[in-house]
Amino acid sequence: MASSTTSPISLSSPSSSTLVDAKAAPRHTASSQCVTLPTLPPPPPAAVHSQTTSRAARTTAYCRKIARNVMAMATGEVTTAEVATTELPEFVKTIQKTWEKVEDKYAVTSLAVAGAVGLWASAGVVAALDKLPVVPGFLEVVGIGYTGVFVYNNLVYKPDREALIQKVKDTYKEILGTN
């Protein structure tokens, strides 16, 4: 049933290939070598669609950027991306200093994991409640009602607003300590 015809696909012989066998080539471990990547062909002429040209230009620019990074890593140079990542923002330094001051790191880590698991579980409960037919609308009405009561009790009159602000400041000082 199957005929033995020749396939139109031709395979190139290993001798005409441009790849080099890693076993055949000796490796130099003592000296740094620069590896250059082949460049991409120039973008198609402007008569072709402009979107194709801009895509090709972006691809060429990206490939050149990658080639520069590869050459820099091969020669041991420091790239600008590495320099930018080594400088830490101020809040990261603050977090590191605070973490170094913590005495019971095990307890803090356990609380963080428990908080993450609790958040994940509550998200699951909310997703399950959201699938019920009447419950989401009812909970939305309850939330709007509670928001109205909170605004009326704490934000409408000036003495109530000042009391709420003072309570928030006291809670803030209690959590962070008096400075």
Side-chain angles (χ1 to χ4, degrees), residues 32-149:
S32 64
Q33 296 179 353
C34 182
V35 178
T36 58
L37 298 175
T39 58
L40 293 174
V48 183
H49 201 281
S50 65
Q51 182 181 11
T52 307
T53 305
S54 68
R55 186 181 318 142
R58 280 185 271 137
T59 304
T60 303
Y62 178 74
C63 289
R64 285 184 182 152
K65 179 181 175 185
I66 296 295
R68 279 194 306 267
N69 289 343
V70 169
M71 287 188 295
M73 287 188 297
T75 58
E77 297 174 4
V78 178
T79 61
T80 57
E82 291 176 12
V83 172
T85 58
T86 57
E87 296 176 8
L88 297 175
E90 186 65 31
F91 73 93
V92 175
K93 292 178 184 176
T94 306
I95 291 172
Q96 286 177 342
K97 288 178 185 176
T98 306
W99 182 251
E100 290 172 1
K101 291 178 184 177
V102 171
E103 293 177 13
D104 195 5
K105 291 182 170 80
Y106 179 75
V108 172
T109 306
S110 299
L111 285 173
V113 170
V117 169
L119 185 64
W120 174 73
S122 64
V125 169
V126 168
L129 287 175
D130 197 28
K131 292 179 183 176
L132 297 175
V134 179
V135 176
F138 176 71
L139 291 177
E140 187 174 346
V141 169
V142 169
I144 292 171
Y146 183 77
T147 302
V149 169

Side-chain angles (χ1 to χ4, degrees), residues 4-11:
S4 61
T5 60
T6 59
S7 172
I9 299 173
S10 65
L11 299 174

